[in-house]
Amino acid sequence: NAGVMQNPRHLVRRRGQEARLRCSPMKGHSHVYWYRQLPEEGLKFMVYLQKENIIDESGMPKERFSAEFPKEGPSILRIQQVVRGDSAAYFCASSPLTSNYEQFFGPGTRLTVL
Amino acid sequence: AQSVTQLDSQVPVFEEAPVELRCNYSSSVSVYLFWYVQYPNQGLQLLLKYLSGSTLVESINGFEAEFNKSQTSFHLRKPSVHISDTAEYFCAVKRSSGSARQLTFGSGTQLTVLP
């Protein structure tokens, strides 16, 4: 049973470009979470999604950031018009419907904005 | 809202020595508590968790943590560390009731085991 997959592992963008980060949850998991880890900091919650629904986006910046988890395919975190401050590691986690606490993390995507 | 404080950002320790990584939390509601470990360029792995019951929880690789409700702490300990324990350790909490599922993390403690 493959773990949570994220791609790309490393992404370099110039200021103003768009970044698309993908997350495939573990098989059978219907919940996806995105977290951001800035240098020297812990992970900060961004958004929680179920298939085709955003459940909680209280941690998402109000502009330029969006997330989706379509019926088919991976979850996507999209950052438009990236700025240097968006440089961070973005982690995806997934959990099954039946678990209220357990989250399994992917290896992360390290975004560098030049 | 919940918050987590990890007082020590860096902890160097010699191999086979004991170690304690401190974690304090603040919450107006009851929470579950977790320790995660992150090896370089990898994702987080769950090390151990406290949900209910015995306040002392153990991992398979010799770590243990004790939930202290009065001191709102969940310190991580190991009696004898190995070089392979070098990693970043994150303490996290989650509300134990309600629909909110997100984890709130501390800023992490880098444990470096020296030969």
Side-chain angles (χ1 to χ4, degrees):
Chain A
N1 187 10
V4 178
M5 311 277 284
Q6 288 187 251
N7 67 81
R9 294 291 308 275
H10 300 274
L11 182 61
V12 179
R13 286 287 178 266
R14 296 192 180 280
R15 282 179 296 171
Q17 291 184 320
E18 178 180 286
R20 281 186 177 236
L21 289 62
R22 296 175 187 78
C23 169
S24 296
M26 287 181 70
K27 186 176 180 181
H29 287 191
S30 56
H31 301 253
V32 165
Y33 314 80
W34 286 94
Y35 293 84
R36 177 165 64 175
Q37 184 180 29
L38 294 169
E40 310 298 324
E41 294 187 18
L43 279 72
K44 297 285 195 294
F45 168 76
M46 300 180 75
V47 62
Y48 159 39
L49 309 103
Q50 293 180 20
K51 286 282 187 182
E52 299 185 282
N53 282 306
I54 296 175
I55 306 301
D56 182 352
E57 55 181 348
S58 58
M60 286 278 270
K62 295 288 183 258
E63 298 178 347
R64 302 187 297 107
F65 285 72
S66 63
E68 62 176 6
F69 189 16
K71 187 176 180 181
E72 302 289 339
S75 174
I76 306 284
L77 179 67
R78 182 183 178 204
I79 311 172
Q80 295 178 290
Q81 300 174 353
V82 295
V83 300
R84 290 232 172 99
D86 297 332
S87 295
Y90 293 82
F91 289 95
C92 169
S94 72
S95 68
L97 178 65
T98 52
S99 174
N100 186 32
Y101 64 86
E102 198 157 17
Q103 294 184 18
F104 296 83
F105 283 81
T109 294
R110 279 155 182 82
L111 172 66
T112 302
V113 180
L114 301 177
Chain B
Q2 295 82 47
S3 67
V4 178
T5 302
Q6 291 182 247
L7 292 168
D8 307 302
S9 60
Q10 309 255 0
V11 174
V13 63
F14 287 106
E15 192 174 17
E16 298 183 6
V19 71
E20 179 179 79
L21 307 183
R22 295 180 291 170
C23 172
N24 288 89
Y25 70 93
S26 173
S27 177
S28 57
V29 298
S30 60
V31 293
Y32 297 143
L33 295 135
F34 308 85
W35 275 100
Y36 282 84
V37 58
Q38 184 181 29
Y39 298 101
N41 298 316
Q42 294 187 28
L44 277 69
Q45 300 172 29
L46 181 63
L47 188 60
L48 45 74
K49 60 183 182 286
Y50 171 78
L51 305 180
S52 64
S54 172
T55 57
L56 184 66
V57 291
E58 298 177 352
S59 72
I60 58 173
N61 57 353
F63 283 94
E64 64 178 30
E66 185 159 19
F67 169 52
N68 187 319
K69 188 174 182 179
S70 62
Q71 297 187 4
T72 60
S73 68
F74 191 54
H75 300 331
L76 181 69
R77 293 188 289 263
K78 189 170 185 180
S80 175
V81 294
H82 302 289
I83 296 286
S84 59
D85 293 325
T86 294
E88 184 120 30
Y89 292 79
F90 292 96
C91 182
V93 301
K94 181 202 166 297
R95 289 176 61 126
S96 60
S97 62
S99 59
R101 283 184 166 233
Q102 64 265 33
L103 295 164
T104 300
F105 285 88
S107 55
T109 297
Q110 174 65 45
L111 172 64
T112 302
V113 181
L114 306 167

